[in-house]
């Protein structure tokens, strides 16, 4: 007889997900639980001391999105007021919606708990990590799970281009009103799933000035050592930036952006063009 005393078993922890593959949520569908919420998955965290569940308590598990996706928040979905906030319902009233978190803390009930991950419009792989403190060993024990969002949804090849000029109106060269004569232009290239196109170390965006109207005469594009009516560049996370400099005549300047869907390379000829257009106006002031 007698007490066996403290058992020396260490803590172990597991983290599993109901689904580890989620579709892209391009329509901003809300978070929720059940079959009507295909963009949300439930994660289960459990810890044991030997073969027995760890003791219960508050703030036992710490979980966060470790890396992989800047979007894809975590949710409690436990109905507690601290985890919800009020928004307008469009009819003069208020409704409660769950708060989104980058990291959460959970209590232990029967050695475990659950929380939720929600996909958004960014494709990638999110790594979720949960940890628990092992008091016997005085260390943190952790486990991770990877959740893929939008796997195989996009081709990585250009499907659309949109350009934005920082200053949509320029002064002509030598204008008397001290107007800016150049502007930065950013061209955004998206693939089939509205994700930034991939790059292969070669220029995948070409900008050019179309010869339409007198304002095109004397106008030029600038990109590093390149200048003239045509420039080529490699995008970064789907964005290519160059500058447009006005000429000496008033009027609209039409800038054309082209990417090659065939091989994401504009240096070897453009076989399957994806085109975007941007108008910047030049004025005397």
């Amino acid at each position: 007889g007698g007490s066996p005393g403290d058992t020396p078993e260490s803590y172990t922890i597991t983290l599993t997900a109901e689904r580890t593959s989620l579709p892209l949520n391009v329509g901003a569908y809300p978070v929720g639980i059940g079959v009507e919420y295909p963009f949300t998955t439930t994660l289960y965290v459990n810890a044991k001391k030997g073969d027995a569940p760890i003791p219960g308590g508050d703030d036992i598990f710490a979980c966060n999105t470790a890396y992989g996706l800047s979007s894809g928040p975590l949710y409690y979905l436990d109905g507690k007021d601290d985890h919800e906030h009020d928004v307008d319902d469009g009819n003069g009233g208020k409704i409660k919606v769950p708060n989104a978190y980058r990291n959460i803390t959970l209590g232990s009930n029967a050695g475990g708990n659950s929380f939720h991950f929600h996909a958004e419009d960014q494709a990638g792989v999110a790594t979720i990590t949960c940890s628990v403190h092992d008091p016997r060993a005085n260390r943190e024990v952790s486990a991770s799970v990877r959740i893929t969002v939008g796997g195989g949804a996009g081709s990585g090849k250009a499907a659309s281009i949109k350009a934005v000029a920082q200053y949509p109106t320029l002064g002509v060269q030598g204008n008397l009103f001290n107007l800016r004569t150049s502007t930065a232009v950013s061209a955004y290239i998206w693939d089939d799933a509205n994700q930034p196109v991939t790059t292969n170390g070669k220029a995948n965006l070409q900008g050019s000035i179309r010869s339409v109207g007198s304002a095109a005469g004397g106008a030029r594009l600038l990109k590093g050592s390149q200048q003239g009516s045509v420039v080529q560049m490699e995008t970064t996370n789907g964005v290519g930036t160059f500058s447009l400099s006005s000429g000496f005549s008033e009027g609209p300047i039409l800038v054309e952006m082209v990417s090659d869907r065939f091989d994401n390379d504009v240096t070897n000829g453009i076989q399957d063009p994806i085109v975007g257009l941007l108008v910047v106006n030049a004025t005397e002031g």
Side-chain angles (χ1 to χ4, degrees):
S3 169
D6 264 348
T7 56
E9 291 94 339
S10 298
Y11 276 25
T12 57
I13 183 174
T14 60
L15 178 63
T16 57
E18 177 187 20
R19 287 173 291 166
T20 57
S21 181
L22 297 175
L24 276 177
N25 188 5
V26 296
Y29 199 84
V31 63
I33 302 173
V35 295
E36 294 185 357
Y37 296 91
F39 304 102
T40 306
T41 186
T42 303
L43 293 96
Y44 304 92
V45 57
N46 290 275
K48 292 184 176 182
K49 180 181 180 182
D51 294 327
I54 64 171
D58 296 327
D59 299 334
I60 301 297
F61 299 105
C63 301
N64 77 304
T65 304
Y67 57 87
L69 273 179
S70 58
S71 66
L74 305 178
Y75 291 87
Y76 287 97
L77 300 187
D78 55 7
K80 294 182 179 179
D81 289 339
D82 291 346
H83 300 152
E84 296 180 333
H85 65 281
D86 292 328
V87 297
D88 294 330
D89 63 2
N91 298 312
K94 299 285 187 180
I95 57 173
K96 288 188 175 295
V97 298
N99 297 334
Y101 297 90
R102 296 301 297 172
N103 55 76
I104 61 177
T105 57
L106 301 164
S108 171
N109 187 358
N113 212 323
S114 63
F115 60 104
H116 308 273
F117 175 89
H118 187 62
E120 295 190 345
D121 62 356
Q122 182 182 7
V125 180
T127 299
I128 315 298
T129 299
C130 291
S131 65
V132 63
H133 181 71
D134 183 349
R136 188 196 67 82
N138 193 26
R139 64 185 181 92
E140 303 299 315
V141 182
S142 64
S144 298
V145 66
R146 291 161 59 90
I147 299 175
T148 301
V149 176
S155 65
K157 297 182 178 182
S160 65
I161 300 178
K162 178 183 179 180
V164 177
Q166 186 176 9
Y167 298 97
T169 300
L170 299 176
V172 299
Q173 297 292 328
N175 72 85
L176 300 178
F177 294 90
N178 197 30
L179 297 178
R180 182 182 292 272
T181 59
S182 68
T183 180
V185 176
S186 288
Y188 303 81
I189 311 179
W190 289 286
D191 72 1
D192 319 58
N194 293 336
Q195 304 301 302
V197 296
T198 57
T199 54
N200 53 13
K202 299 179 181 179
N204 62 325
L205 172 66
Q206 176 176 287
S208 62
I209 297 176
R210 281 193 175 180
S211 297
V212 177
S214 60
R220 56 181 175 162
L221 303 179
L222 309 171
K223 177 64 176 178
S225 61
Q226 303 178 68
Q227 60 174 316
S229 60
V230 179
V231 292
Q232 295 180 337
M233 69 213 72
E234 182 181 0
T235 59
T236 301
N237 198 28
V239 181
T241 303
F242 56 94
S243 181
L244 167 65
S245 178
S246 63
F248 293 92
S249 300
E250 286 188 309
I253 304 171
L254 184 59
V255 182
E256 179 184 69
M257 281 70 56
V258 179
S259 186
D260 191 355
R261 180 175 172 82
F262 177 73
D263 61 358
N264 280 341
D265 184 0
V266 296
T267 65
N268 59 356
I270 299 173
Q271 302 180 55
D272 188 2
I274 301 295
V275 180
L277 297 173
L278 174 70
V279 175
V280 176
N281 290 298
T283 180
E284 287 282 358

